[in-house]
Amino acid sequence: AVRRVTHTKNWNSPVHTRRGTFYADEEDAASYQEWVNLIERVAPAGTEIYIYPREVQFYYFTATRNPTRYDDLLPNFNSPAQVEEAMAKLWITKPEYIFNCMPFERVLMGLTGPDDPRNFTARDPLGDALRTGRTPYHLASTVANMEIWTLKK
């Protein structure tokens, strides 16, 4: 029998959160710590914020809540109706912050299996909507490749 060996990362770099410490590989841990520090600084425990497209674990780590019923919001994964529903919920509930925790191109690269063709034409519907300026949000800053969208004052 042939045994296939894959590269594994060392998950030994701590990331400290409201709920305790988790461990990540050294490359990601610094960004994750910056994300956690920022979210915890602006959003008290129990606050509704929206984190997308797929970093759902940060709701748990920061003790915050998702105002929608969708953990992930991805093209070719969620239907257009689900994306519209999630965005409508965001525009109605108006969480003070929306965090885009990954450049969308990086997410697209990770959504397929190793033998699946990459889809470089998929759009980021929420990001596209936010960038039009016709939503209640504006881009406040970017920290460690995380976009921070805040309600317009």
Side-chain angles (χ1 to χ4, degrees):
V2 175
R3 184 169 183 191
R4 192 170 167 184
V5 177
T6 59
H7 175 72
T8 58
K9 294 182 175 185
N10 288 324
W11 294 70
N12 56 7
S13 296
V15 179
H16 305 285
T17 77
R18 282 185 182 127
R19 295 195 187 253
T21 301
F22 73 94
Y23 293 86
D25 66 273
E26 186 176 355
E27 181 182 338
D28 291 334
S31 292
Y32 289 168
Q33 190 66 67
E34 284 188 67
W35 295 355
V36 166
N37 292 347
L38 175 74
I39 294 168
E40 289 183 350
R41 187 172 60 248
V42 300
T47 301
E48 283 189 342
I49 62 173
Y50 193 66
I51 301 170
Y52 89 101
R54 63 178 306 169
E55 296 293 338
V56 66
Q57 69 273 21
F58 285 93
Y59 293 115
Y60 174 77
F61 294 140
T62 62
T64 54
R65 296 181 305 131
N66 178 346
T68 77
R69 64 186 186 129
Y70 299 104
D71 293 335
D72 298 325
L73 197 60
L74 302 164
N76 303 326
F77 179 80
N78 296 97
S79 71
Q82 290 173 324
V83 171
E84 287 298 319
E85 176 191 334
M87 289 193 305
K89 181 74 170 177
L90 291 171
W91 307 161
I92 291 167
T93 60
K94 293 184 176 85
E96 191 164 341
Y97 294 94
I98 295 176
F99 299 96
N100 179 358
C101 287
M102 240 184 233
F104 200 68
E105 295 77 24
R106 183 174 162 201
V107 172
L108 290 176
M109 291 295 293
L111 285 181
T112 57
D115 299 325
D116 293 338
R118 302 293 189 229
N119 180 357
F120 294 106
T121 61
R123 301 294 305 166
D124 171 9
L126 178 55
D128 290 347
L130 290 166
R131 285 177 185 81
T132 66
R134 294 185 303 246
T135 71
Y137 294 90
H138 74 280
L139 181 60
S141 63
T142 300
V143 174
N145 290 324
M146 176 178 66
E147 296 176 341
I148 300 105
W149 294 85
T150 60
L151 277 173
K152 294 175 184 173
K153 302 286 182 191

